[in-house]
Amino acid sequence: MDRLEALSLELPVLADNPYFVHHRAVDSSIHISGQLPYKDGVLLGQGIVGRDVGLETAQDLARHAVVNCLAAAVQAVGDLERVRVVQMLVFVASAPDFGLQSRVANAASEVLIEVLGENGRHARTAIGVAGLPLNTPVEIQMICTAV
């Protein structure tokens, strides 16, 4: 938690959803549902990256979404120190010619590595998509394990 505080970040409490769970354990893997860039119950941005939303804004939204993923992981394993990220999928609602989805994803990767050290290093895919729920620019899904 000290590393989170050093970055001026805190893990939110994720509200229950009647349609899905934020995490599901299968054997030793913990699958984290796609998380949006919410903070204090407010969606922080909408639009298409490369058209309505700039790269830096998309990177900031990715940081918020990955912090929400960490909150779900902590719900699953009980303590941030026990979280090891295996894989991260970063979905970026982007214009067809945007092409910098990996730079959006880098912002989330940096948070994971800064907060978790070696346990935050992960396999990763950054995907450009036509649209995401609630017209959000970024959604992040993760697979973790407990250490």
Side-chain angles (χ1 to χ4, degrees):
M1 293 290 190
D2 294 339
R3 291 181 181 180
L4 269 178
E5 291 171 8
L7 297 171
S8 299
L9 298 172
E10 65 180 68
L11 295 181
V13 174
L14 300 176
D16 289 337
N17 188 298
Y19 303 105
F20 65 89
V21 294
H22 290 289
H23 56 82
R24 172 74 69 201
V26 178
D27 298 322
S28 63
S29 295
I30 301 146
H31 296 257
I32 307 297
S33 293
Q35 297 293 318
L36 305 183
Y38 277 103
K39 183 174 183 178
D40 299 325
V42 175
L43 186 62
L44 296 177
Q46 292 184 308
I48 301 296
V49 182
R51 185 182 74 200
D52 314 311
V53 177
L55 175 62
E56 289 181 9
T57 299
Q59 290 171 323
D60 189 51
L61 295 171
R63 289 181 194 96
H64 284 284
V66 83
V67 167
N68 293 337
C69 287
L70 285 174
V74 168
Q75 279 184 352
V77 304
D79 186 346
L80 189 59
E81 300 301 318
R82 297 190 61 223
V83 174
R84 177 183 291 147
V85 180
V86 176
Q87 182 180 30
M88 179 173 67
L89 302 174
V90 180
F91 300 92
V92 181
S94 49
D97 62 345
F98 177 65
L100 298 176
Q101 291 84 0
S102 63
R103 289 187 53 195
V104 174
N106 286 347
S109 293
E110 287 170 359
V111 169
L112 293 176
I113 293 166
E114 287 178 28
V115 170
L116 300 173
E118 193 58 31
N119 284 340
R121 293 182 52 77
H122 51 276
R124 184 184 87 186
T125 302
I127 304 166
V129 298
L132 290 168
L134 304 175
N135 197 28
T136 186
V138 179
E139 180 173 9
I140 298 180
Q141 175 186 350
M142 288 190 338
I143 299 173
C144 303
T145 189
V147 291

